[in-house]
Amino acid sequence: MNILILGGDGYLGWPTAMHLSAQGHSVAVVDNYFRRKACDELQSPPLLPVPDLGERTRLWQAASNHTVHCAEGDLCVWEFMQDCFTGKAFGLDWTPDAVVHYAEQPSAPYSMMDRDKAAFTLSNNLMSTMNLVQAVKEFNPACHIVKLGTMGVYGTPDIDIEEGYLDVDYKGRSHRFLYPKTPGSLYHLTKAQDGDMLYFYCRIWDIRVTDLNQGPVYGIFTDQSDDEQLATIFNYDDVFGTVVNRFLVQAVAGIPLTVYGKGGQTRGYLDLRDTLACVELAILNPAQAGEYKVYNQITETFTVNELAELILEGGKQAGIDVTVKNIENPRREAEEHYYNPTYTGLKDLGLEPHLLTSDKVARMLEFVARHKGRIREDAIMPKVKWT
Ligand SMILES: NC(=O)c1ccc[n+]([C@@H]2O[C@H](COP(=O)([O-])OP(=O)(O)OC[C@H]3O[C@@H](n4cnc5c(N)ncnc54)[C@H](O)[C@@H]3O)[C@@H](O)[C@H]2O)c1
């Protein structure tokens, strides 16, 4: 298949590009380096230096003999999105059969930092999605959109969370609605809005969409990237680092793991390798014309306290002394709550999860420890408050 990856330079995008090209697909990636520029602006460099896309694709070609096409540009610019769909951006006669849409501002704290970052998050995430839909309609209406959503759109309701839809019986009648959304940051709100937009266009224009409501991802290496030069961008700071990756770096740096508030916040998590498997399964099992498929893309749930406990256990195995500290919660969120999400859809398609164990934590800690000298301790503590 011809597969276009929007946001292909990012934490998930680059490993996805290598994974899909290793399966024999013709893969093209695009990115405007927003993530790298934001890390520079916030003085939060990733743990490992990351070559630019041109260099990454050359390294990948040399390691695997697979070509990944790449182009730099802003997908909120309609002309650039058009060039990606005609192949002009890559010097190819090419149109995608499937698009993986990662190209959004993915950080909750970034979206809550100030007015300009809120405005950027809103416009970037919705405009890139809207341009994508318009390009699909214009150039290949059969093209399947696989968009990365987030479990954070559901919030923490006091009833079970279903996969995307809720069947409601009301006054003797029944109807199937999208599951109600209660996002907890402006970023999460934009992910609810882009999902609503895609559902709208499925109904109006019969486009095909799969929305993968994902939990926080952890990990660095995949089957294609045991070479450090091919590794993904690994952030551990308070803005772009996801919680497990941040805890790993705190443990190695000898800083207490910063548990926000009581630490009873429960979320679903998954290994980076499982993200790649889920995206591939979604591509291989496309939505029908007019269908908006939703999967909950997590493999297990933990409270933050349970995660900290696992890092402690892994630290013991790796010979690293780990401590934990509860700090004032910078976010507004329930710190103890009911949480029972359904996540059977991707397993039914064949997903075989890599679960988080203390052995795995120990291996990740050993990797981070090899790069201890690059850790910027001042980048870790939370600086953005919700109120
Ligand atoms: N990483 C996670 O734990 C996680 C969890 C749930 C959902 N997601 C979702 O997955 C997607 C990817 O997340 P990620 O962690 O890889 O983030 P990321 O920031 O590393 O990747 C996104 C990439 O898109 C690029 N981008 C953003 N706006 C763009 C634009 N207008 N034009 C071109 N490129 C643009 C960025 O430069 C970046 O390289 C996001 O949509 C995020 O909401 C991620």
Side-chain angles (χ1 to χ4, degrees), residues 302-324:
F302 296 103
T303 64
V304 181
N305 288 328
E306 287 167 342
L307 280 182
E309 191 56 41
L310 255 178
I311 307 280
L312 249 132
E313 288 301 314
K316 278 186 203 147
Q317 284 172 237
I320 294 172
D321 201 11
V322 182
T323 54
V324 180

Side-chain angles (χ1 to χ4, degrees), residues 112-187:
M112 302 297 286
M113 211 176 273
D114 59 34
R115 183 264 163 209
D116 287 356
K117 290 182 171 48
F120 171 79
T121 303
L122 191 66
S123 61
N124 185 68
N125 293 2
L126 297 185
M127 194 56 76
S128 62
T129 305
M130 200 275 289
N131 277 348
L132 170 59
V133 173
Q134 299 287 338
V136 164
K137 177 167 186 273
E138 186 166 329
F139 297 103
N140 182 11
C143 176
H144 177 211
I145 297 175
V146 176
K147 194 232 23 172
L148 265 288
T150 161
M151 288 297 288
V153 296
Y154 297 121
T156 51
D158 218 16
I159 58 169
D160 292 354
I161 295 172
E162 304 300 329
E163 293 208 68
Y165 291 89
L166 184 68
D167 294 317
V168 176
D169 295 324
Y170 187 65
K171 294 186 177 174
R173 301 183 66 82
S174 50
H175 191 78
R176 187 154 217 244
F177 292 95
L178 280 190
Y179 195 95
K181 296 170 182 171
T182 318
S185 76
L186 185 81
Y187 152 68

Side-chain angles (χ1 to χ4, degrees), residues 5-16 30-39 53 56 71-77 80-81 101-107 120 123-125 127-129 131 147-152 187-188 190-191 194 212-218 232-233 235 240-243 245 268-270 272 275 297:
I5 301 179
L6 310 182
D9 186 54
Y11 176 58
L12 306 178
W14 175 244
T16 307
V30 293
D31 208 290
N32 65 349
Y33 295 136
F34 157 75
R35 168 72 170 248
R36 291 170 185 252
K37 291 173 194 160
C39 291
L53 267 181
R56 282 177 140 182
E72 182 184 345
D74 184 348
L75 294 155
C76 296
V77 176
F80 180 66
M81 182 69 87
H101 179 24
Y102 290 127
E104 300 199 12
Q105 190 297 99
S107 160
F120 171 79
S123 61
N124 185 68
N125 293 2
M127 194 56 76
S128 62
T129 305
N131 277 348
K147 194 232 23 172
L148 265 288
T150 161
M151 288 297 288
Y187 152 68
H188 289 101
T190 65
K191 302 299 282 186
D194 68 8
L212 298 173
N213 281 338
Q214 184 176 240
V217 183
Y218 60 82
T232 189
I233 186 165
N235 284 99
F240 287 111
T242 50
V243 57
N245 291 352
Y269 295 87
L270 75 165
L272 178 56
T275 294
Q297 187 165 306

Side-chain angles (χ1 to χ4, degrees), residues 178-246:
L178 280 190
Y179 195 95
K181 296 170 182 171
T182 318
S185 76
L186 185 81
Y187 152 68
H188 289 101
L189 176 64
T190 65
K191 302 299 282 186
Q193 291 170 320
D194 68 8
D196 281 348
M197 189 197 305
L198 290 166
Y199 182 45
F200 167 74
Y201 281 119
C202 285
R203 300 192 317 271
I204 304 301
W205 286 349
D206 281 335
I207 61 169
R208 303 160 187 263
V209 176
T210 299
D211 204 340
L212 298 173
N213 281 338
Q214 184 176 240
V217 183
Y218 60 82
I220 185 158
F221 289 120
T222 66
D223 293 346
Q224 288 77 35
S225 66
D226 45 2
D227 171 353
E228 287 189 6
Q229 284 189 298
L230 288 172
T232 189
I233 186 165
F234 183 94
N235 284 99
Y236 54 87
D237 56 278
D238 63 315
V239 174
F240 287 111
T242 50
V243 57
V244 177
N245 291 352
R246 197 170 66 237

Side-chain angles (χ1 to χ4, degrees), residues 45-82:
L47 187 64
L48 297 177
V50 181
D52 68 20
L53 267 181
E55 183 60 14
R56 282 177 140 182
T57 53
R58 275 189 291 280
L59 288 164
W60 173 238
Q61 165 92 48
S64 70
N65 226 4
H66 291 292
T67 304
V68 168
H69 307 281
C70 69
E72 182 184 345
D74 184 348
L75 294 155
C76 296
V77 176
W78 171 231
E79 290 70 24
F80 180 66
M81 182 69 87
Q82 288 177 300

